[in-house]
Amino acid sequence: MVGRGPFVLGAGAAAGIVAGIVLRRQNNPVRTLLQNNAKLLSKKDHHTVRTLVRGGQAHIFKHWPAPGIRDQQKITLLQRARAFASESISAKELEEARLEVLYPPRCEKREHQLPGPPGTDDLRKDQYYWLRDDNRTDEDVLAHLRAESDYCHNVLENTEHLQEELYREMRGRIQEADQSAPVRDGPYFYYSRTLEGKQYRVHCRRKLPPNVGPPSESDSMDESQPEEVLLDENAEAARFDFYMVGGLEPSPNHKLLAYAEDTSGNEKYTLHVKDIGSDREMLKEPIKETAGNVAWANDNKTLFYVTKDKLDRPFKVWRHHVGGNAEQDELVYHEEDDQMYVHLAKSRDEKILSIHVGSSVTSETRFLSADEPEGEWKVILPRVNNVEYDIRHRGDHFFIEIRDENRPNSEVLVVPVSDPTQTKVLIPHKTDVKIESMVASQSHLVVFQRIKGLQEATIYELPDGLGMPHMLGMGEQVQFPEAAYSLGPGSQGDFDSPVLRIGYTSLTTPTSTIDLNMRTGKRAVKKVQPVLGGFSKDSYKTDRLWATASDGTKVPMSIVYRQGLVKLDGSDPLLLNGYGSYEVCNDPYLSGNRLSLLDRGFIFALAHVRGGGEMGRNWYEDGKYLHKKNTFTDFIACAEYLVKEKYTSPAHLCIEGRSAGGLTMGAVLNMRPDLFNAAIMGVPFVDVVTTMMDESIPLTSIEQEEWGNPNNAEYYEYMKTYSPVDNIQRADYPNILVTAGLHDPRVGYWEPAKFVAKLRENKTDKRILLFKCDLGAGHFSQSGRFDRLKDTAREYAFLLKCQDLVDT
C-alpha cells in the first residue's frame, strides 16, 4: 500500500543506499582532490571542478595546502577556473593562479657562524649549514630534500604530458639496438652493443678471421666469427638502482677481464677479475673502495689498481696477484701531497706502465717495464711546481708534451728512456697554437692542437725501426670545413697499425668515427651515430659568433638553429650554455635530445668563455684565481650580444650550466638577474667560500689550484664577491631549476640545497624556483640511458613552460 505513513526499507535495500552514498563520496572528484579544502567551494565551483577534471585538468586542484594556508589564493584560483571553463581567460592566467596556491618548502633556519681566514675577525652567517650531512642519513635533511622534489613535481605537473612527449621523441631518435665501431686489438675486434629496450651496454669481442692481413682503414669485423660476451652491464645492473662501470681491461693474453663497478653514484668502485672463457670470478674477494683505474702487467697475473683516501682522492697504487689475498697486496706508491691525484696507465705498445700524479697545475710521471712488475718505478721528469707533462712511449724513447709558464700552450719533446733528462725539442711552443694531446704509433706521431679555438690534427712520419727522431718534417694536416666542430682521437688499437682513428662531430653533424690511413691518406667512415626520427643536417644552420667582453676581449660562441623556423627578430627562445673552468673546452656536438628544443623554435648557443681552454692556456689563466669573474662577465657579454643582434631577448633568453658551469649560472644570475628568463643549474658548485675553506670536503685541497685558497685573505675577499650563495640579493630573479644528487662526491648536495633555501628567502618575484635532488644518484645523474632521458625531458619541459610553449 502506498501512502503517507512510515515507509520501511528492507535490510538489503537500506544497505544498498548506504553503500551508494559512500561510493558517491569516494568517487567524488572534488572531495578526492581537495579533501578538507572542499569547504571553500560553492555549488558552481563543484560543477567547475568536475568539468575541468573530466577535461583532463585535474592537476589544477592537486596538492593544495591545508585549510587556513593560502585560502585567498585558492579562492582566486577557483574564480580563474570558472573563467577558464567559460573560455574568458587563457591557460597561462589559470596556471599563474595555480602556482600561487602551491606552497613551496620553507627550510628551517638554525644559527651557525663561519669564521674568516686566520688573522681576521670576519664572520659569515650560514643559517642553512645544517643541511650538510656527510652520512646522508639525517631524517630532517632527507625530509627537506623530499619536500623540495615533491614541490618540483607539483609545479611541473601540468607538463607531464609534455615530458612524456619529449621522452618519446628523444628515445625515438635513438637506435636502441646499436653497436660501436670495433677496435682491432691483438687477435680480436673489441666492441660494445646496446640492446632494444635495455639501459646498459654489453661488452663483446670477435676473433680476427684466419690469414687476416695487417691493419688498414678497410678492416671490417667478420660477423661469422662467434661473439664472446665479456660483460653484460644489464645483467649486473639488475641488482642495483645505480650502476656504472669504471676501468674495463682485458689481460695481455686476452683470457682475463678486470673491471670495476660503482653501484651508488659515489664513484667508489669495486674491482672484479673474471675468466672470460668460464665467466668465473678470479679474485678471492672483490676489492672495494677503489678509484676504478687498473693496469695489467705482461705476466697476465699481476694487476695494479688505485685506492682513494677518506676524501675520495686517488692516492695509493697497489700490486695484486690474481688468486692471492687482497690483504697481502703490496703498496707500490703513496702520494702524500693532498693536492695530487694518482692515475694508472699502460702504453699503447704495452711495454710501459705509468703512474701519473697530477694537480691542476703540476704533474709527475713514474714508469715501469710491464715485463717486470716487481721492478722499480722510475721518475721521468722530477716534479716542479706549475710544470705539467704527459708521455707517450715508443721504442727506446718517450714523447713528452710539456707545459710551464714559459710554454703555456705546450711543446713536444723527445727523451731517451735511459736518461729522460736529455730532452730535445721536436715541436716548439707557439703563442697561437695550443697542443692538446698526442697519439704515438710505430710509424707516426699525431699531434692534436687548437688554433683560434678550432681543432685540427697534424700527422708526422717517424723513422723506421723505432729509432728516436731528432726532428720532424712539416706534417700533414687533418682539417674539416665546418665553422664550429669537435675533433679528437678515438680508441687506437694495435700499436703497429698505420690507421689513426678520430672522432668528429658538430652542432649539425652526428658523432662520426673515422679511420685515416696515415701512409696513404685514405679515409673510411666506420660509424656515424644514428639519429632517427627524420633528422637531416641540412635543416639546421650552425655558425660561429664573437662577442666583446667588458675589457675588449673577443669571446667566441657556437650557435645552431632550425632553418625556416626561427625569425631572428628578438622573439625566438634561446638556450645559452656555459662552463668556463679547469681549462675544459666546451666544444660543439650534435645532441639528438637537443633537437626537441630546436624543432620547437629554440636557438642553442655555446659560450666559450675564459676559464675554459678553447683559446689556449692563457684563456684559462684569465678565468681562474683572481681573474675568475672574467668567466661571468664573458658569459654576460655573450648574452648581451645575442640580445643586441636579435637572436633573442631577455624575455626569451634561457641559460644552463652543470657543476662548475652551475657556478657560472649562479654568479651571472646574481649579477644580471634582469637579463634572463630561465636558468637550469645542474649539480652546481655554488657555496665556493665555505667549501674551499673546509678541507674535510672532498676535492677542496686540490681545487685550491683552480679557485685559490680562501685562508689567504686576498682570495677570501675576492671569492666573497662572486660565490653565488654569498651574493643572493633582494631582487627579482628568473625562473630557476636546480638539480643535485645525494651521493655526489664532487659537489655536495647541500650546496644547491642551501642556495635554493636562501634564494627562496630573499627573492622578491613570483617566478618558479625548483630543486630536484635525486636520492639515488651522484654527480652524473641516473646511470641508465633511458632514465637520463627522463631527467632531460623534465628540464626541457621546464624551459618550455617558462616560454609558454607547453601546448605547442
Side-chain angles (χ1 to χ4, degrees), residues 293-314:
N293 183 214
V294 298
W296 287 97
N298 286 341
D299 62 3
N300 299 295
K301 63 182 180 181
T302 304
L303 185 67
F304 295 90
Y305 64 92
V306 179
T307 56
K308 293 183 172 184
D309 66 12
K310 63 181 180 180
L311 296 179
D312 286 330
R313 178 178 67 95

Side-chain angles (χ1 to χ4, degrees), residues 489-501:
S491 299
Q492 298 304 316
D494 293 331
F495 182 70
D496 63 356
S497 172
V499 174
L500 171 69
R501 173 159 289 182

Side-chain angles (χ1 to χ4, degrees), residues 532-576:
L532 307 182
F535 168 76
S536 170
K537 69 171 296 178
D538 294 335
S539 299
Y540 304 87
K541 178 175 174 57
T542 184
D543 206 350
R544 197 163 179 82
L545 307 175
W546 296 83
T548 303
S550 54
D551 62 0
T553 301
K554 299 292 185 182
V555 183
M557 286 182 283
S558 302
I559 192 168
V560 64
Y561 53 85
R562 178 151 188 161
Q563 299 188 94
L565 199 57
V566 301
K567 303 180 182 68
L568 301 181
D569 61 357
S571 65
D572 299 306
L574 185 149
L575 178 59
L576 177 63

Side-chain angles (χ1 to χ4, degrees), residues 137-196:
T137 57
D138 185 289
E139 282 303 321
D140 287 346
V141 172
L142 294 175
H144 177 71
L145 298 179
R146 291 189 188 103
E148 284 284 7
S149 292
D150 288 345
Y151 178 69
C152 177
H153 171 268
N154 297 345
V155 169
L156 295 179
E157 191 157 0
N158 73 312
T159 71
E160 285 188 346
H161 67 288
L162 174 60
Q163 291 183 49
E164 180 60 31
E165 180 182 335
L166 290 164
Y167 174 79
R168 288 197 306 268
E169 280 180 16
M170 293 185 290
R171 186 165 175 174
R173 295 192 190 99
I174 297 172
Q175 184 166 298
E176 294 190 15
D178 200 7
Q179 180 176 295
S180 66
V183 177
R184 181 169 170 174
D185 183 7
Y188 292 94
F189 278 110
Y190 285 86
Y191 59 97
S192 66
R193 292 190 289 111
T194 51
L195 308 177
E196 190 82 23

